[in-house]
Amino acid sequence: MEFTVTDQTTLSFASPSAAAADGVAVVFAEDGPKFTSAAQDLDKKTKGMLSEAARISAFKGKKGSSVDVLAPRGVKFARIVLVGLGKPADYANDAWLNLGGAVRGKLSGREGGAAHVYLEKAKGELSAEDAASFALGAQLRNYKFDKYKSKNSETEKNATPLKKLVVHCADPGAARRAFAPERAIVDGVNLARDLVNEPANVLTPAAFAARAKALAKAGVQVTILSEAQMKRLGMGALLAVGQGSENTSHVAVMQWKGAGVRGGDPIAIVGKGVTFDTGGISLKPAAGMEDMKGDMAGAACVAGLMLALAERKAKVNAVGIIGLVENMPSGTAQRPGDVVEAMSGTTIEVLNTDAEGRMVLADCLWYAQEKFKPVAVINLATLTGAIMVALGKEHAGLFSNDDELSARLTAAGLETGEKLWRLPLGPKYDKLIDSKVADIKNTGGRWGGSISAAQFLQRFIKPGTPWAHLDIAGTGMASGDTDINRSWGSGFGVRLLDRLIRDHYER
Ligand code: BES
Ligand code: MN
Ligand code: ZN
């Protein structure tokens, strides 16, 4: 099955004066309202319709507010949308990205299929990077997961896709160049979203592995480990999680060698890919269990990131490793109390079969370090419900043994709007997972549940390897509607890690 961006809109950049006389025009006003020059121009041409509409609807230019003028006189546009920019002080970080998403959300193809956005501030010039961010936000909002809606459904009948989005800005050439790598980001984020949104009867571990394999088309080298190979490697923790399922387990290893041999050892990104988490014999309650089709959001992010890096030809060596398993209860499932041996030789007492993500990651993390001697390891996982109790859906949890890596990730989070909040690790928390019968146990009790989960992962990190764990249970799926996403899967982490790599790991 193919990627599903049904509402395909072609995006282009043009100068402010480029001819445009159909569809929708979008112009802006800052807090006040202070009209931008394009807004003033359209106001003049319509004999004051814009300022009159603003007055009637008490539009002040507040961020996110807007006024619609339908069938304006004196111009050929079918509709003019006046959008508030807020205050110049708000124009930091992901502001232009979100504005692009919000504007895209106000557009449809009903007025003729084209939209012309006159992107500018009331005072001072907009940078090419900001224009590219705006375009990225618009393209990210331009995503729907509707492949399972039959052709005659209501939404399909009423669909009038926007065909053309033209961003008019001061330096369209520079904006076009700044946007070039962002096309890859759109593809990467949408791949991650597609994978998260896909139901678990379709996206089995083998099906996910096949989608990973397809990244070869983009220049990623992909190998898939079979259960037999994993058994030989000693991946007893990962295999124990998958042993209750009819669907075989897989590990996908995706290498992008954009910096060549001279680029040295890679950065490793590891993802939890539990394609469905029933809890196993420690079965989850029925209510909301359907959400556990998204328990592979970490792995989806890794796949999306690898696609983005390859498509934009990032000058970095990176390896993505994802553990793909299904956690099912059955006669062959692991039991509470079982003891298994991980690839590292560490023995694990399985107190709760629902604490499966950490077992999958344990072997993937060890394999990553043994095989690739990475300069840093970052893992992403929908690991604990407790992270949502702590942080809600605004921040993902960040755990790290390295202050510099942690600071870099936090900064990348603020830049992209994929925000992280660091939580502590330490010897007292580590003690929580000591076991009476094995080296460690797979749960550390109710208090600080996200932290003891992170401590478990750290038991599989070699001293001296900079490592960070991102708990994305609250942000990877069902994270709520935003300006740039209305689908269930968010694609969280792709932009964050791409930004981290751009800022610190590219040659
Ligand atoms: N996949 C879940 C965590 C999760 C819960 C993600 C809700 C997204 C939404 C994970 O495998 C899990 O079940 N964790 C347990 C750990 C516990 C048994 C120690 C949890 O959070 O309750
Ligand atoms: Mn679980
Ligand atoms: Zn899980």
Side-chain angles (χ1 to χ4, degrees):
M1 292 190 216
E2 292 301 316
F3 302 161
T4 330
V5 184
T6 37
D7 194 3
Q8 272 293 3
T9 307
T10 57
L11 176 90
S12 58
F13 295 93
S15 73
S17 58
D22 62 331
V24 192
V26 180
V27 291
F28 298 90
E30 274 175 14
D31 210 70
K34 282 185 227 146
F35 282 26
T36 60
S37 67
Q40 289 174 26
D41 182 50
L42 281 183
D43 194 36
K44 217 174 286 158
K45 287 189 175 136
T46 58
K47 300 209 160 57
M49 285 182 87
L50 240 54
S51 42
E52 185 66 358
R55 190 186 59 76
I56 293 166
S57 57
F59 171 86
K60 293 285 183 288
K62 294 246 172 321
K63 200 172 172 172
S65 65
S66 67
V67 187
D68 264 285
V69 181
L70 292 172
R73 303 286 159 215
V75 291
K76 287 188 179 143
F77 294 113
R79 177 162 73 111
I80 301 172
V81 191
L82 177 64
V83 177
L85 290 172
K87 293 191 174 66
D90 304 333
Y91 299 166
N93 295 325
D94 56 344
W96 294 102
L97 177 93
N98 290 329
L99 184 71
V103 166
R104 179 64 188 85
K106 296 178 199 299
L107 303 174
S108 83
R110 275 195 301 274
E111 298 88 352
H116 294 271
V117 178
Y118 295 88
L119 189 62
E120 51 176 344
K121 303 189 211 172
K123 243 215 241 126
E125 240 178 49
L126 191 85
S127 73
E129 284 69 34
D130 288 342
S133 282
F134 178 94
L136 173 62
Q139 291 297 75
L140 287 175
R141 177 68 179 266
N142 184 30
Y143 170 87
K144 274 195 201 111
F145 186 78
D146 57 3
K147 66 191 278 191
Y148 296 113
K149 293 219 178 260
S150 52
K151 284 280 170 277
N152 54 7
S153 75
E154 275 310 298
T155 47
E156 195 71 32
K157 269 188 284 184
N158 295 334
T160 43
L162 181 67
K163 295 211 177 64
K164 238 169 79 179
L165 177 62
V166 186
V167 178
H168 297 259
C169 57
D171 190 344
R176 214 169 285 132
R177 282 191 295 281
F179 185 71
E182 309 297 356
R183 286 180 192 281
I185 303 306
V186 175
D187 288 344
V189 172
N190 286 343
L191 171 60
R193 289 171 174 175
D194 272 350
L195 291 166
V196 174
N197 286 325
E198 200 67 78
N201 61 328
V202 173
L203 198 75
T204 58
F208 196 141
R211 297 243 193 148
K213 191 94 205 176
L215 295 182
K217 271 185 290 192
V220 182
Q221 293 175 20
V222 188
T223 41
I224 310 293
L225 303 183
S226 67
E227 285 194 347
Q229 286 170 302
M230 290 189 271
K231 211 167 273 169
R232 276 198 293 276
L233 287 164
M235 294 187 163
L238 184 150
L239 287 169
V241 174
Q243 77 186 32
S245 173
E246 294 278 338
N247 295 309
T248 55
S249 304
H250 300 271
V251 165
V253 181
M254 299 165 274
Q255 287 178 268
W256 168 248
K257 296 177 179 167
V261 270
R262 267 127 151 265
D265 297 330
I267 181 170
I269 317 290
V270 175
K272 168 179 175 181
V274 176
T275 59
F276 197 78
D277 179 14
T278 64
I281 296 297
S282 313
L283 193 64
K284 286 181 181 296
M289 202 204 277
E290 66 277 8
D291 280 0
M292 287 302 107
K293 74 170 187 175
D295 209 17
M296 29 54 70
C301 169
V302 178
L305 176 70
M306 297 310 294
L307 177 62
L309 293 177
E311 281 193 0
R312 73 173 181 79
K313 306 234 179 308
K315 290 188 168 39
V316 67
N317 292 336
V319 56
I321 298 172
I322 55 181
L324 304 168
V325 305
E326 186 177 48
N327 188 21
M328 297 293 265
S330 79
T332 61
Q334 63 173 343
R335 293 148 290 257
D338 283 5
V339 175
V340 300
E341 186 177 340
M343 183 183 171
S344 70
T346 299
T347 56
I348 302 165
E349 184 189 10
V350 184
L351 288 193
N352 190 322
T353 64
D354 198 12
E356 85 298 340
R358 62 198 76 181
M359 296 177 65
V360 173
L361 289 171
D363 283 334
C364 292
L365 289 168
W366 194 257
Y367 179 81
Q369 293 164 93
E370 283 284 295
K371 175 108 184 164
F372 296 103
K373 313 268 173 288
V375 291
V377 178
I378 299 168
N379 73 260
L380 301 102
T382 48
L383 202 65
T384 65
I387 202 67
M388 289 186 266
V389 178
L391 301 175
K393 288 170 171 277
E394 266 302 296
H395 290 82
L398 161 64
F399 301 83
S400 182
N401 61 359
D402 188 286
D403 290 345
E404 186 182 48
L405 177 59
S406 177
R408 287 173 170 181
L409 278 162
T410 303
L414 288 173
E415 284 176 60
T416 56
E418 296 190 325
K419 297 193 294 279
L420 304 174
W421 199 263
R422 191 177 185 182
L423 284 93
L425 292 165
K428 286 275 167 60
Y429 294 116
D430 190 58
K431 262 191 92 59
L432 295 174
I433 55 167
D434 284 341
S435 159
K436 281 213 160 62
V437 302
D439 296 334
I440 54 175
K441 54 190 183 188
N442 78 334
T443 64
R446 191 164 141 68
W447 307 124
S450 302
I451 303 176
S452 53
Q455 293 291 168
F456 183 99
L457 300 182
Q458 198 180 3
R459 294 276 187 133
F460 299 90
I461 297 298
K462 298 183 180 184
T465 304
W467 159 75
H469 152 54
L470 311 181
D471 194 334
I472 61 167
T475 51
M477 52 155 147
S479 47
D481 285 352
T482 66
D483 286 336
I484 57 167
N485 182 41
R486 292 295 152 110
S487 98
W488 187 75
S490 63
F492 184 95
V494 175
R495 290 184 302 108
L496 170 80
L497 294 181
D498 177 76
R499 171 53 60 190
L500 176 84
I501 286 171
R502 276 194 221 191
D503 288 352
H504 301 288
Y505 294 92
E506 280 194 67
R507 300 195 311 129

